[in-house]
Amino acid sequence: LNMDYFKKAMEPVEQCLKDSNLPKSAIAEIVMVGGSTRIPKVQQLIQAFFDGKELCKSINPDEAVAYGAAVQAAIVSGQGSAEVQNMLLLDVAPLSLGIEMAGGMMQTLIERNTTLPTNKSQDFTTYEDHQTFVDIKVYEGERGMVKDNNYLGKFTLKDIPKALRGIPKIKVTFNIDSNGILEVTAEDQQSKQKSEIQITNEKGRLSQVDIERMLAEAEQYKGEDAIGRGDMIAKEELKTFASRTRKALKDIDASKIRERDRELLERKLTELGEWLEKGAFKAGKEEFEAKQKELEAAMAAIMMRINQGPDFWEQQIAVHEGEKTIAQGGFLLECGIDIRDLIEEPQ
């Protein structure tokens, strides 16, 4: 009747070994502490898991738990003998901690099992042109998308100087002290504007049961999460490239670019924007990358036309049957030259 519960009790043991990167043979002694270790079936399963290794049952399970809690309390409060103060007890982050990125991706700053206390920083930037504020949403969990993780809180960094997307430099810092209190700060490196949030263990944090459930789900959906994250990264890279292309097109001197070239690229950018808005929901990494390569080829053709000068493009080369121009999704310029022949191989 209780076999499912007994097997479930073995999951933390397996996870502990996995997190420590130690083989079973490297475990010198198996000490049984905690009331449930008195159950014969639990002892049998643990012994079998460690290939029949003898268990250490000489310690009172209940006293061991109480003793450990007392030692931890003495260390944190600074009380107790010198012997206690010289003891080192390490606490770790039970789940990874991070913030939400564009597209709902989880960007981890503190990895699971990081020793506490800890302090980690990372630089971020804005998502849109002339953005004057950013919302920092904090999550814990192991999944690739924040919707599958646990939301902890949000704060806003305001009064960011207006600039094009990608220009502002915003430093986000996660700090966890010895009491497990998380403090997240965000600072704009130019204006020195700063904002922060403090999250305690009692504020929206998960129970041990919830943590174990989330770890199991992360392992179960690991493959799907990797694919989904790859798709989202490719989509965001495409959007960033389109934004830079649009800006570059505006900066090109009107006397150096043919009007039909400008109209062609503007039309491609408009079509791409509409596709991203309405038809890209089911698209995958390959489709986003193909769209980006198509846009790169169109932009490269214009830049080569500008750099080579008008005389170079007056020549005409026969176009073979089945070959397509860049406007049709191929690699040929209107004069018949294959754009791939003009691109130098990297040294």
Side-chain angles (χ1 to χ4, degrees):
L1 291 176
N2 295 320
M3 197 59 195
D4 288 343
Y5 295 104
F6 292 148
K7 288 181 178 179
K8 194 171 183 64
M10 294 302 299
E11 292 176 6
V13 180
E14 296 174 7
Q15 190 64 50
C16 184
L17 273 181
K18 184 177 179 181
D19 292 343
S20 65
N21 293 318
L22 291 174
K24 296 178 186 178
S25 57
I27 306 303
E29 196 165 8
I30 306 164
V31 183
M32 306 294 285
V33 296
S36 61
T37 60
R38 289 194 178 93
I39 302 172
K41 188 62 179 179
V42 171
Q43 295 177 6
Q44 180 185 340
L45 288 171
I46 291 177
Q47 189 165 8
F49 178 79
F50 284 98
D51 303 322
K53 188 176 181 66
E54 196 65 34
L55 306 179
C56 174
K57 296 181 281 187
S58 59
I59 300 174
N60 184 300
D62 299 321
E63 285 182 9
V65 174
Y67 191 92
V71 169
Q72 175 73 348
I75 292 173
V76 172
S77 64
Q79 305 296 318
S81 65
E83 185 179 6
V84 169
Q85 293 304 314
N86 289 331
M87 292 181 67
L88 178 62
L89 296 180
L90 299 178
D91 198 5
V92 298
L95 290 170
S96 297
L97 294 159
I99 63 175
E100 180 178 2
M101 297 289 289
M105 289 186 292
M106 171 82 163
Q107 179 60 47
T108 299
L109 274 85
I110 295 180
E111 297 282 352
R112 177 174 175 263
N113 284 331
T114 298
T115 304
L116 305 181
T118 188
N119 183 290
K120 297 289 178 66
S121 297
Q122 192 169 328
D123 290 335
F124 297 90
T125 187
T126 49
Y127 180 66
E128 297 176 352
D129 291 342
H130 311 303
Q131 195 171 330
T132 58
F133 71 91
V134 290
D135 289 329
I136 309 292
K137 296 180 181 178
V138 185
Y139 290 83
E140 64 178 347
E142 307 306 311
R143 304 289 298 277
M145 308 299 290
V146 295
K147 65 182 178 63
D148 300 313
N149 293 325
N150 183 46
Y151 173 75
L152 295 177
K154 180 185 88 168
F155 66 101
T156 302
L157 177 62
K158 302 177 180 178
D159 300 324
I160 301 172
K162 290 184 178 180
L164 295 176
R165 61 177 287 176
I167 299 299
K169 188 177 179 182
I170 300 166
K171 184 178 182 180
V172 176
T173 301
F174 275 52
N175 183 76
I176 307 179
D177 65 16
S178 57
N179 295 315
I181 297 175
L182 169 65
E183 187 176 82
V184 184
T185 61
E187 181 180 10
D188 176 58
Q189 297 296 283
Q190 179 183 345
S191 65
K192 300 303 179 183
Q193 288 290 333
K194 192 175 182 180
S195 187
E196 62 186 28
I197 188 175
Q198 189 179 86
I199 300 168
T200 63
N201 283 325
E202 294 77 27
K203 187 178 180 181
R205 306 304 288 271
L206 298 171
S207 67
Q208 186 60 37
V209 173
D210 291 329
I211 291 173
E212 291 174 4
R213 173 183 55 79
M214 291 188 71
L215 291 175
E217 289 177 354
E219 188 65 29
Q220 180 181 352
Y221 298 109
K222 188 175 182 180
E224 295 177 24
D225 284 352
I227 294 172
R229 187 175 178 84
D231 292 346
M232 192 60 65
I233 290 173
K235 180 180 180 181
E236 293 305 318
E237 287 178 348
L238 172 60
K239 292 169 73 174
T240 298
F241 182 77
S243 176
R244 291 175 179 170
T245 302
R246 191 174 287 106
K247 181 181 181 302
L249 186 61
K250 290 179 180 178
D251 293 341
I252 296 175
D253 191 325
S255 64
K256 294 183 178 180
I257 181 172
R258 297 187 308 176
E259 188 59 31
R260 61 177 179 177
D261 284 343
R262 183 182 292 276
E263 290 175 356
L264 170 65
L265 196 54
E266 286 178 345
R267 185 170 68 251
K268 282 188 172 295
L269 288 167
T270 300
E271 291 172 353
L272 177 61
E274 292 174 351
W275 180 76
L276 286 169
E277 188 73 24
K278 299 176 182 178
F281 298 109
K282 295 182 179 180
K285 179 181 177 181
E286 292 77 13
E287 291 175 83
F288 292 123
E289 289 178 344
K291 291 282 185 182
Q292 182 167 331
K293 287 179 180 178
E294 183 181 337
L295 189 58
E296 286 173 350
M299 186 61 178
I302 292 173
M303 294 309 298
M304 281 191 289
R305 185 187 296 278
I306 293 172
N307 294 331
Q308 294 282 3
D311 295 340
F312 178 82
W313 307 98
E314 294 301 321
Q315 56 180 312
Q316 290 290 326
I317 298 176
V319 177
H320 300 291
E321 184 178 351
E323 293 182 330
K324 297 179 180 179
T325 65
I326 290 174
Q328 298 169 328
F331 293 94
L332 298 183
L333 301 174
E334 292 178 8
C335 61
I337 297 175
D338 192 318
I339 190 175
R340 291 170 292 188
D341 295 335
L342 301 174
I343 301 174
E344 294 183 0
E345 289 292 330
Q347 298 299 318

